Amino acid sequence: MIVITSAAYVGMEFRAEVGKIPPVMLPVGNKRLLDHQVAVLKDRFPNERIYLSLPEGYLLSKKDKLNISKYKIKIVSVPVDISLGDSVLYVINSIGEYDNVIRLLHGDTLIYDMPLEGNIISVSKTSDDYNWEVENRTLSEETVWSGYFSFNSPKSLIRLLTTSKGSFVDAVRMYHDLNKMNVTEVSEWLDFGHVNSYFKSRSKIYTHRYFNYMKVENGKVIKSSHNVEKISAERLWFESIPEAVRFYTPQIIGHGNLSSENIYYELEYLSCLPLNEIFVHAVNPPFYWLKIFKHLEKFLKNNVDCSIQLINNKNSKTLIKTANLLVVDKTKKRVNEYIEQSSKDFNIPTKLNGVDLPSLNDVIDDCISKIDDKSHVFGVLHGDLCFSNILYDTRSDRIKVIDPRGIDAEGNFSYLGDLRYDLAKINHSVIGLYDHIVSGAYDLTESNDLNFEFEIFIDERISKIQKIYIENMKLSHLTPLNLIPETILLFLSMLPLHKDSLDRQNAFIANSLRLYQEYIVN
């Protein structure tokens, strides 16, 4: 059997980032660390049952409950404020299995090459100085315990945990003396137990997931693509924006060609979490988010103020044209593309959670008719200001934006545009809950064509954050609710981009109907 030990909450240094959660619930790549751990464990030990210790009283979200059920994990709730040794002893005795090999994985650890044998202490070499158990050291590095253990004799382990007075390390050392454990070095170890190592490990997973076009090395993010136009536009945006906007961006370091058809640019790597992972996976209180929304509001105002001298009558006419193309024409084009891919009929009536609603074409036409053609707010446009492209640095209390659009709706390079689009993109995440849908935090059934039962898994805390956002966020004379029509169109325009997941496409349609029913009809 396998036990993931996560019966204590993260330390105070982490709580400023993600709130009070156990280590396995840390956000990593828009997933929980637990999701990564389980994927490895099921690959390495496909026939073994997984148990997870959590602090007594910790409340799992609905999505976490569903995932844990899907993984067939058994939860063991452990009294808080006891030692690791006593916690492990409590879990083993609660499970009550004493004849099989016990494998322990610390909840703040991810190891891709866990040894398959029994009686193992996994170790790794490191030059970092943290409170790890040291197996041996040289002048240049230490070999430390890396958080995975296996024990062939659970009864012996229990006896030693009992006599070690709560010290897990002492119990393992004594077990080692009696049972001759193999101290085995693993090469693919990621530690998430300290803030610095957490961000270092995140960067390695980031590179692993996106190795074809993104890697992090030597303090730099290197982004490459065969889409020369897109990468060039992003790089030019960073290089061309006014100085006042650069305060909100990572430093651009360089650019070049990997081949005749593959170009890249480099940015400094920032040890910060993106807002989508904080919003979906962390438990920061509403007042924490009020501070972030004020930063976003200030960012948008700054982008208007620093552009006043750049926008003349000729520019404004071009910006009005491209703004309409970006919202209206792009939506119609993308929807037509989706209709060609799917069997959906956008002319038939729809239904959401038992409520009759108009056809999707009628919803689109109504939203377009409600867009005010005279309320443009021009300035430096990011163009994709969703939560995944906004980083928050808790230490300096600043936001940084990445992955700008840099191209207008006609394919021309531009860093100017209608900032209503940027606010609609923020709406997309906060009110539209886009990141919750992408992370799978929803339940959806379609009984027949465009008749949906749909629920996004949010709690009271998220509802309070949405309320704070609606009441406090502004762009010039506009509030988030003024841009609900654009927000609905954004969801529908993204349908063909998610053709890899039919269920997610249906969720976007259902969510568009939810927003339409809640904010337009009512």
Side-chain angles (χ1 to χ4, degrees), residues 127-179:
S127 57
D128 293 326
D129 184 20
Y130 293 113
N131 189 29
W132 292 313
E133 178 65 15
V134 177
E135 190 65 20
N136 58 63
R137 62 166 53 94
T138 67
L139 291 176
S140 60
E141 62 184 12
E142 293 179 335
T143 300
V144 301
W145 290 9
S146 50
Y148 170 74
F149 311 84
S150 64
F151 306 91
N152 284 350
S153 176
K155 293 178 182 177
S156 175
L157 177 63
I158 289 171
R159 184 177 68 255
L160 296 170
L161 285 168
T162 303
T163 60
S164 67
K165 298 181 180 179
S167 173
F168 177 75
V169 170
D170 288 350
V172 174
R173 292 286 186 197
M174 289 187 288
Y175 182 99
H176 183 19
D177 290 340
L178 293 173
N179 296 279

Side-chain angles (χ1 to χ4, degrees), residues 341-510:
Q341 295 173 359
S342 71
S343 59
K344 299 293 184 187
D345 184 351
F346 273 42
N347 290 310
I348 64 174
T350 60
K351 182 176 284 190
L352 179 69
N353 298 331
V355 177
D356 292 322
L357 292 168
S359 72
L360 287 169
N361 277 337
D362 287 341
V363 169
I364 291 170
D365 290 342
D366 193 24
C367 287
I368 290 173
S369 72
K370 287 179 166 56
I371 296 174
D372 186 354
D373 290 336
K374 298 180 181 179
S375 64
H376 302 284
V377 181
F378 298 125
V380 174
L381 179 73
H382 178 277
D384 195 13
L385 200 61
C386 52
F387 269 7
S388 58
N389 290 336
I390 305 168
L391 311 177
Y392 180 54
D393 186 344
T394 59
R395 283 136 289 177
S396 63
D397 188 23
R398 292 163 62 182
I399 61 168
K400 297 282 187 176
V401 299
I402 58 173
D403 291 352
R405 182 180 175 87
I407 300 175
D408 66 20
E410 295 183 307
N412 303 309
F413 168 72
S414 176
Y415 63 80
L416 297 175
D418 186 349
L419 269 64
R420 292 183 304 176
Y421 191 81
D422 276 351
L423 184 55
K425 273 287 188 176
I426 302 173
N427 270 7
H428 195 237
S429 290
V430 183
I431 301 175
L433 299 170
Y434 168 80
D435 304 297
H436 283 74
I437 295 175
V438 170
S439 72
Y442 67 90
D443 183 54
L444 173 76
T445 57
E446 185 180 14
S447 57
N448 50 53
D449 281 352
L450 300 177
N451 182 352
F452 299 105
E453 292 293 325
F454 180 59
E455 178 192 5
I456 302 177
F457 303 146
I458 62 170
D459 55 18
E460 184 181 0
R461 184 185 60 89
I462 293 292
S463 297
K464 288 180 179 178
I465 293 169
Q466 290 176 317
K467 187 173 186 292
I468 286 173
Y469 170 75
I470 290 169
E471 292 176 350
N472 290 276
M473 189 71 177
K474 286 186 178 180
L475 169 64
S476 184
H477 56 289
L478 300 171
T479 70
L481 295 186
N482 295 133
L483 296 172
I484 291 295
E486 289 93 330
T487 306
I488 293 171
L489 295 177
L490 277 174
F491 274 100
L492 294 172
S493 73
M494 298 192 75
L495 288 172
L497 306 183
H498 290 260
K499 59 185 178 183
D500 61 306
S501 173
L502 176 61
D503 194 68
R504 194 183 309 130
Q505 287 179 318
N506 284 337
F508 285 165
I509 293 174

Side-chain angles (χ1 to χ4, degrees), residues 71-138:
Y71 297 146
K72 298 181 179 179
I73 292 176
K74 176 71 175 178
I75 298 295
V76 180
S77 295
V78 177
V80 295
D81 298 327
I82 64 175
S83 69
L84 175 59
D86 287 338
S87 174
V88 171
L89 180 62
Y90 183 94
V91 172
I92 296 173
N93 283 327
S94 296
I95 295 170
E97 295 180 15
Y98 306 110
D99 298 322
N100 298 317
V101 174
I102 292 180
R103 307 183 193 279
L104 295 181
L105 177 68
H106 287 339
D108 57 8
T109 297
L110 181 61
I111 299 174
Y112 289 103
D113 56 339
M114 282 181 282
L116 302 178
E117 301 80 16
N119 279 346
I120 292 288
I121 299 175
S122 74
V123 296
S124 292
K125 288 184 169 62
T126 181
S127 57
D128 293 326
D129 184 20
Y130 293 113
N131 189 29
W132 292 313
E133 178 65 15
V134 177
E135 190 65 20
N136 58 63
R137 62 166 53 94
T138 67

Side-chain angles (χ1 to χ4, degrees), residues 306-356:
C306 72
S307 307
I308 293 174
Q309 302 301 320
L310 301 173
I311 299 173
N312 53 38
N313 186 53
K314 180 180 179 181
N315 277 346
S316 64
K317 289 180 179 178
T318 301
L319 294 175
I320 289 171
K321 177 185 176 184
T322 56
N324 291 335
L325 288 172
L326 189 59
V327 176
V328 177
D329 290 46
K330 185 182 79 171
T331 299
K332 291 181 176 179
K333 179 181 177 182
R334 292 265 188 87
V335 165
N336 287 334
E337 185 181 343
Y338 169 73
I339 291 173
E340 290 180 5
Q341 295 173 359
S342 71
S343 59
K344 299 293 184 187
D345 184 351
F346 273 42
N347 290 310
I348 64 174
T350 60
K351 182 176 284 190
L352 179 69
N353 298 331
V355 177
D356 292 322

